[in-house]
Amino acid sequence: MMAFKDGFLWGGATAANQYEGGWNEGGKGESVADHLSSGNVSHPRLITKTIEDDLYYPNHIASDFFHHYKEDIALFAEMGFKVFRMSIAWTRIFPTGEELEPNEEGLKFYDDVFDELKKYGIEPLVTISHYEMPFALTEKYNGWASRKLVDLYLKYATTLFERYKGKVKYWLTFNEINCGCLSLGNYMSLGILNGQTRDFTNQEDDVQLRYQGLHHQFIASALAVEACHNIDPDAKVGCMIAMMPSYAYTCNPIDVLGNQKNMRTLNYYCGDVQVRGKYPSFSKRLWNELGVELEMQPGDEEILMNGKVDFFSFSYYQTSCFTEDDSVDSTSANLIANAKRNPYLKESAWGWQIDPNGLRVTLNELYDRYEIPLMVVENGLGAYDTVESGQIHDPYRIEYLREHIKAMSEAIDDGVDLMGYTPWGCIDIVSASTGEMAKRYGMIYVDSNDNGEGSFARMKKDSFYWYKKVIESNGKDID
């Protein structure tokens, strides 16, 4: 097994809306995430246009990083983090998205966070927009359905590049931008709230609006990449894709063709635009079949070509199978149409299929396709944890992470240029899909329940000490 290269970026990942809290402190405005109520596997999160007194909104408190950032960063340093993936809350900088001047109190908060990271030699990897755009822009423009957001996002991104030049070397423009290819991505990813939408799972879908919104995000991302390179030539900007790999369920050519279409639509459509700087060859047929007519302005093609990313980052949690045979069981985590259960794989408590070898396949496919450095910026196991005499024993999480690290090492041996690894929810955070705290990913336990009740004390799980050993050995000691 080939060793991870010197300087490999070991760390962990979070998102402001799921971790930060302080939703109405420091001049912060309301984000789309702030309007999502709590939920669970059986009951979807409600989307409310006003904050209602009789509902609980878990992102308001989250894990309260806003008040615990020094303690948390010290714990990350104790684990040995080389990098910490985090996001900036757009509404902490521009509360409604349309202010003439940024909120200095919000800018100062992130200055303090970056200074604290620097004290321990931890490099920040910052997502500019991670599922928390200003709700005011949803109300006024229906989110990214409007081209107006390109200018507003660029102003926001440029403000960050200028303020944090020299403090932040690695940026990501949008989190899991390809979720805009799914109907559930309307609200969370694009800030689109159509008239009949009432909850997170069942959204009124306008495919034309959704793909137009994605185009606007592509333009905004490309302009941001170019702006960052001009402002800080030493900085690197990446894309971030939610990898949703699938296998053909059978060797029936119909399944193989259907699976190829799924892979192209869900995984490569956005990656091709952001890495290659142009829409892929299959896009015109895709648009025709969906009834989509993209409105492009003169110069858009040049903008996309000039704003190609420096590296490709992605989330990887599970794989599924594709078949036209409706009698085959779907996965219980069925976010994708025709996602079928793989009989060779185990599942998590939330029905997510566990497939470390699929990560190796994914890394190889991505590197063959793009030939730019890759980074796994989300990967982890959501599970129920139990506190026993002040300890949290989580061998299931250690096993999950160990097998995926092995897969990454094999992919490096296969020839993949892998920059780093930041497991998702290195500390317990609110689940994006269900709003639960009970679905825990972290190596650090946060004492809070699904109703936001608890001391918010931090406790180290067994996986904390295991991951510390992995980092110290640069991936050699993973037992």
Side-chain angles (χ1 to χ4, degrees):
M1 196 164 65
M2 183 176 287
F4 291 88
K5 63 184 178 183
D6 292 341
F8 187 80
L9 295 171
W10 297 98
T14 61
N17 77 89
Q18 295 166 256
Y19 177 42
E20 199 171 274
W23 77 290
N24 58 358
E25 298 181 60
K28 182 184 175 298
E30 296 177 8
S31 74
V32 291
D34 291 327
H35 285 254
L36 282 169
S37 75
S38 60
N40 55 46
V41 175
S42 303
H43 297 91
R45 307 184 72 178
L46 299 179
I47 302 170
T48 66
K49 292 185 178 181
T50 59
I51 305 301
E52 300 180 9
D53 292 339
D54 59 342
L55 292 176
Y56 174 59
Y57 297 85
N59 300 72
H60 290 187
I61 304 173
S63 301
D64 200 26
F65 177 71
F66 189 71
H67 298 106
H68 289 260
Y69 73 91
K70 289 187 177 182
E71 174 187 357
D72 289 353
I73 291 170
L75 287 167
F76 300 155
E78 186 180 341
M79 266 194 283
F81 279 19
K82 312 299 181 189
V83 65
F84 173 49
R85 183 190 171 209
M86 54 174 282
S87 70
I88 287 176
W90 189 339
T91 52
R92 206 172 282 289
I93 310 304
F94 291 99
T96 69
E98 292 195 284
E99 286 76 11
L100 295 178
E101 297 296 329
N103 172 31
E104 177 59 30
E105 199 171 349
L107 290 169
K108 176 64 166 56
F109 170 71
Y110 293 110
D111 266 323
D112 293 343
V113 170
F114 296 144
D115 289 345
E116 197 70 15
L117 289 167
K118 184 179 180 181
K119 184 170 83 173
Y120 294 102
I122 301 173
E123 197 80 57
L125 167 63
V126 179
T127 313
I128 297 169
S129 181
H130 191 136
Y131 295 163
E132 44 58 75
M133 58 172 283
F135 187 75
L137 300 184
T138 289
E139 288 188 297
K140 187 172 181 179
Y141 300 109
N142 204 14
W144 284 95
S146 170
R147 179 125 184 170
K148 175 68 175 175
L149 266 74
V150 173
D151 293 335
L152 296 174
Y153 174 91
L154 187 60
K155 180 178 181 179
Y156 162 54
T158 302
T159 299
L160 301 185
F161 300 147
E162 291 174 344
R163 176 73 173 226
Y164 304 123
K165 178 181 179 179
K167 288 189 175 185
V168 179
K169 181 179 178 181
Y170 300 106
W171 297 93
L172 303 176
T173 53
F174 290 93
N175 180 68
E176 296 184 332
I177 192 171
N178 59 320
C179 280
C181 295
L182 300 169
S183 60
L184 66 79
N186 272 294
Y187 182 73
M188 181 174 69
S189 187
L190 295 162
I192 293 174
L193 183 56
N194 296 320
Q196 299 305 309
T197 295
R198 296 292 179 267
D199 66 63
F200 180 79
T201 304
N202 305 292
Q203 299 187 41
E204 180 188 342
D205 188 27
D206 183 327
V207 180
Q208 171 68 34
L209 276 186
R210 190 152 46 81
Y211 274 82
Q212 189 64 50
L214 256 181
H215 178 70
H216 295 154
Q217 286 192 337
F218 291 148
I219 296 297
S221 175
L223 290 170
V225 170
E226 194 169 18
C228 185
H229 288 160
N230 289 334
I231 293 167
D232 187 357
D234 294 329
K236 303 292 183 185
V237 188
C239 62
M240 199 293 196
I241 304 293
M243 287 303 295
M244 297 175 265
S246 55
Y247 308 111
Y249 188 77
T250 71
C251 53
N252 185 333
I254 294 175
D255 285 352
V256 175
L257 279 169
N259 185 62
Q260 182 185 62
K261 182 179 180 180
N262 256 11
M263 289 292 292
R264 285 174 153 189
T265 304
L266 296 178
N267 298 305
Y268 300 138
Y269 178 83
C270 294
D272 283 4
V273 174
Q274 294 189 286
V275 177
R276 293 173 167 173
K278 60 182 180 180
Y279 281 100
S281 58
F282 58 83
S283 57
K284 288 184 179 179
R285 177 164 186 169
L286 175 66
W287 297 332
N288 287 337
E289 290 178 353
L290 294 174
V292 168
E293 294 184 17
L294 282 193
E295 180 183 323
M296 298 196 197
Q297 293 188 3
D300 277 3
E301 291 182 349
E302 184 179 0
I303 288 170
L304 295 178
M305 186 57 68
N306 290 340
K308 294 185 288 188
V309 295
D310 302 308
F311 63 97
F312 185 108
S313 80
F314 63 96
S315 59
Y316 177 89
Y317 294 99
Q318 61 174 326
T319 58
S320 62
C321 293
F322 177 89
T323 180
E324 296 285 1
D325 184 353
D326 291 335
S327 68
V328 178
D329 286 344
S330 295
T331 65
S332 54
N334 191 9
L335 302 179
I336 309 164
N338 292 320
K340 304 298 184 180
R341 180 174 282 108
N342 189 328
Y344 297 97
L345 299 178
K346 297 177 181 178
E347 293 184 351
S348 76
W350 275 263
W352 293 30
Q353 298 189 118
I354 300 170
D355 184 11
N357 285 323
L359 177 55
R360 180 181 176 186
V361 172
T362 297
L363 286 164
N364 282 323
E365 290 292 325
L366 288 174
Y367 196 64
D368 284 350
R369 190 178 188 93
Y370 298 127
E371 294 186 315
I372 64 172
L374 306 179
M375 190 170 185
V376 182
V377 294
E378 288 186 30
N379 172 242
L381 178 69
Y384 294 107
D385 290 332
T386 303
V387 181
E388 301 173 353
S389 303
Q391 296 181 316
I392 301 102
H393 305 297
D394 56 344
Y396 38 86
R397 183 169 293 109
I398 292 171
E399 179 185 5
Y400 179 99
L401 295 172
R402 176 192 294 120
E403 294 307 309
H404 284 80
I405 290 171
K406 285 181 181 177
M408 289 190 300
S409 180
E410 292 288 353
I412 292 170
D413 214 8
D414 293 334
V416 171
D417 182 1
L418 188 61
M419 296 169 57
Y421 178 57
T422 57
W424 180 244
C426 48
I427 182 170
D428 292 342
I429 57 180
V430 168
S431 168
S433 57
T434 64
E436 296 170 287
M437 275 297 288
K439 186 182 182 184
R440 297 180 183 273
Y441 283 89
M443 291 167 270
I444 300 167
Y445 185 90
V446 176
D447 180 33
S448 174
N449 64 18
D450 289 344
N451 298 315
E453 301 162 340
S455 68
F456 288 86
R458 275 58 170 154
M459 289 182 280
K460 303 169 190 175
K461 304 178 189 180
D462 287 354
S463 54
F464 178 101
Y465 302 100
W466 173 83
Y467 193 48
K468 182 177 189 292
K469 181 179 67 172
V470 171
I471 298 175
E472 283 176 350
S473 67
N474 197 27
K476 293 185 179 71
D477 187 356
I478 60 175
D479 293 328

